[in-house]
Amino acid sequence: GVWYILNRIDTTRVEFTIPLRENWSLPFFALQVAAITYYLKPQLKPLQQKLALLLIFMSTLAFSLTWQFNQFILLIQALIFFALDCLDLIAPGQVSSLYLIQVASLLLVWLLQFCNSMILGSLVLCFIVAVFFVKHFQKNLKTGSVLARVVKLLIHCILVFGLTFTINYLTKKVLLLKSDEHIYKFIKAKFGLGSTRDFDAKLYLCEEAFGVMPLDTFERLAGTLVLYPYICALTIFMIILMVVAAGNLSDSSTIHLLKGNEEKTMSIRPDIAYNLLHTVFFGLLAYSTMRMKYIWTGHMCAFAAYGACSRELWGLYLRVIHFHSKTKERLVRYTVPLFIIVFLYYKFWPKLTEEMSELREFYDPDTVELMNWISSKTSKKAVFAGSMQLLAGIKLCTGRVLTNHPHYEDKALRERTK
């Protein structure tokens, strides 16, 4: 929490932008990640698992309902589940439950958003259908020698991704879906896979928020000390995950995540494995597209805090230098976070108190004057036309009737606005 507040320039846009859909949705996404983490904890009772799944469904639904980019975020999450399943780091039943929750949430969002066509043509739905289809017909995926298992996994991945794009292409052709084609054109142009003349795609390319994350972000994160424990935890857990995954591929019967109540030295819990891949995948997304860093940095703070306080990590560090005992481990686990908090207090508390003493508010005199004029000088039955950005502000601030719904992810509405 302390790191989140101190890095609020990089963890949220609430204090320097007008209300955005992502400001409403990201708290639900954080709740969903926390619920998934709890669900993947070992040795949960059946009732606890059901309650966790219910919370995952409700938070996924709320997140998807309030942000237009939900399908791309859920696609990355589905890829994480897929990777964990392929590496035998998570129970197959849990993966299936998480997939089904994503499908149910998106279909309900499709219904609640008046049959939003972009949802049905989303890659994440096509991907989940492809995963279930291929798994149904490709048996004994996790049996055989190391080479046989690796070959089976490669074939499995090729089949899943090939079928995903095939289903997506056929769905869009049959249903005549073109609402999100500007996004794929933007992605194609952004990564140098081809040029585009599409106006909406070029509009994204011109926005600084959709560019590469600037390197001074890492300087700010290092200044609050969050970057160092994050990198340490990321490196160590990634090494452990690769070793465990290699062991699972070589002989799935010799390495288990847990053995009774005792954790083996070289093991990784499913909840830790999920959060590790979560921070890696969304970290890459944040670096490639600056606007998406707000999905990553909040989780980064939580992951770094776990790294600074983790019993598993400190136990491993102390064993490596042959200095381990339960008393020393406990002493280090509590002392290091305390030193970090004291350092942050002396460095940032004066600045925070100064900032809190200032009364701030959204400042855009031209927009405020326009909204006040509309509210006071026009009829409540007046109808307004304009750009989607302007119409969204008019609807939010004045409640007046609009000629066009400001939903940018609908091709017909975009063309109607033009």
Side-chain angles (χ1 to χ4, degrees):
V2 173
W3 270 328
Y4 187 92
I5 294 172
L6 294 180
N7 292 285
R8 63 192 179 281
I9 295 177
D10 297 303
T11 55
T12 179
R13 295 203 290 174
V14 170
E15 71 172 21
F16 58 86
T17 58
I18 60 175
L20 298 167
R21 282 172 285 185
E22 67 190 60
N23 292 342
W24 298 96
S25 64
L26 291 186
F28 294 118
F29 184 66
L31 178 62
Q32 185 231 39
V33 173
I36 291 175
T37 301
Y38 179 78
Y39 174 66
L40 294 179
K41 290 180 65 176
Q43 300 177 341
L44 282 185
K45 296 179 181 179
L47 179 60
Q48 292 174 317
Q49 290 184 341
K50 291 178 181 178
L51 291 175
L53 286 173
L54 178 61
L55 182 57
I56 294 171
F57 170 73
M58 294 175 63
S59 55
T60 303
L61 175 62
F63 163 72
S64 302
L65 196 59
T66 51
W67 198 21
Q68 76 275 23
F69 291 129
N70 57 69
Q71 58 162 303
F72 303 103
I73 304 304
L74 293 183
L75 174 63
I76 294 176
Q77 257 192 344
L79 290 173
I80 295 172
F81 301 149
F82 180 73
L84 291 172
D85 186 27
C86 289
L87 296 176
D88 206 17
L89 295 170
I90 186 175
Q94 290 181 315
V95 177
S96 298
S97 298
L98 294 171
Y99 281 148
L100 291 175
I101 284 177
Q102 288 189 331
V103 172
S105 300
L106 286 173
L107 291 179
L108 190 53
V109 169
W110 170 77
L111 183 63
L112 293 174
Q113 290 186 346
F114 308 99
C115 301
N116 182 1
S117 61
M118 195 171 76
I119 300 295
L120 293 181
S122 63
L123 273 175
V124 61
L125 283 181
C126 300
F127 174 77
I128 294 173
V129 171
V131 169
F132 279 123
F133 185 84
V134 173
K135 286 183 70 174
H136 178 74
F137 289 99
Q138 192 178 14
K139 305 294 184 181
N140 302 320
L141 183 64
K142 300 176 182 179
T143 58
S145 63
V146 180
L147 181 60
R149 294 190 68 181
V150 171
V151 171
K152 287 180 182 179
L153 281 179
L154 289 175
I155 295 174
H156 180 70
C157 293
I158 293 172
L159 290 175
V160 167
F161 290 115
L163 187 58
T164 297
F165 290 110
T166 302
I167 294 174
N168 185 258
Y169 175 79
L170 294 176
T171 301
K172 291 185 175 181
K173 284 295 183 182
V174 172
L175 300 179
L176 301 177
L177 303 179
K178 297 182 179 180
S179 297
D180 58 353
E181 63 179 8
H182 66 291
I183 298 177
Y184 294 105
K185 290 178 180 178
F186 157 72
I187 295 173
K188 183 179 177 181
K190 178 178 174 62
F191 293 102
L193 302 177
S195 59
T196 179
R197 297 180 61 85
D198 185 82
F199 172 79
D200 300 300
K202 284 186 173 293
L203 190 63
Y204 279 136
L205 290 170
C206 292
E207 286 284 343
E208 183 182 0
F210 289 93
V212 177
M213 185 170 64
L215 296 179
D216 62 355
T217 303
F218 297 102
E219 295 178 5
R220 291 193 298 271
L221 294 172
T224 59
L225 301 185
V226 67
L227 189 62
Y228 305 114
Y230 173 78
I231 292 177
C232 291
L234 181 66
T235 303
I236 298 301
F237 278 129
M238 185 58 71
I239 293 173
I240 294 174
L241 184 141
M242 289 189 293
V243 172
V244 173
N248 289 345
L249 287 174
S250 62
D251 186 359
S252 61
S253 63
T254 58
I255 293 184
H256 301 279
L257 298 178
L258 290 173
K259 185 177 181 181
N261 292 325
E262 295 183 1
E263 293 185 10
K264 296 180 68 176
T265 302
M266 195 56 69
S267 63
I268 187 166
R269 300 200 315 261
D271 53 333
I272 298 177
Y274 166 74
N275 280 278
L276 175 62
L277 293 188
H278 180 101
T279 194
V280 171
F281 278 57
F282 283 99
L284 294 174
L285 176 66
Y287 180 74
S288 66
T289 308
M290 185 177 68
R291 182 176 176 179
M292 299 300 173
K293 74 175 179 179
Y294 302 101
I295 303 174
W296 171 64
T297 46
H299 184 268
M300 175 192 185
C301 294
F303 194 84
Y306 180 77
C309 306
S310 171
R311 178 170 57 87
E312 292 89 347
L313 282 183
W314 284 118
L316 180 61
Y317 294 153
L318 294 175
R319 286 190 183 95
V320 169
I321 62 174
H322 305 289
F323 194 65
H324 181 265
S325 70
K326 289 187 176 181
T327 303
K328 295 173 183 176
E329 178 186 303
R330 191 178 297 112
L331 179 64
V332 173
R333 282 180 57 217
Y334 292 122
T335 303
V336 171
L338 181 62
F339 275 125
I340 292 175
I341 292 175
V342 171
F343 172 80
L344 295 176
Y345 174 82
Y346 280 103
K347 183 177 181 180
F348 292 101
W349 181 249
K351 182 180 178 181
L352 280 176
T353 53
E354 181 181 351
E355 290 181 357
M356 288 188 292
S357 64
E358 300 177 5
L359 182 62
R360 297 185 180 186
E361 61 181 14
F362 175 70
Y363 182 74
D364 187 350
D366 295 334
T367 302
V368 172
E369 183 180 0
L370 175 61
M371 298 307 165
N372 287 334
W373 180 84
I374 292 174
S375 298
S376 59
K377 301 295 184 181
T378 64
S379 170
K380 291 184 178 180
K381 296 182 180 180
V383 180
F384 289 85
S387 67
M388 287 191 174
Q389 292 87 345
L390 179 60
L391 291 181
I394 292 174
K395 189 66 177 177
L396 178 67
C397 299
T398 69
R400 295 296 194 267
V401 178
L402 309 177
T403 58
N404 198 19
H405 176 56
H407 182 65
Y408 202 76
E409 281 64 46
D410 188 292
K411 186 176 182 180
L413 291 175
R414 292 198 305 269
E415 291 178 349
R416 183 179 177 184
T417 301
K418 293 177 185 178

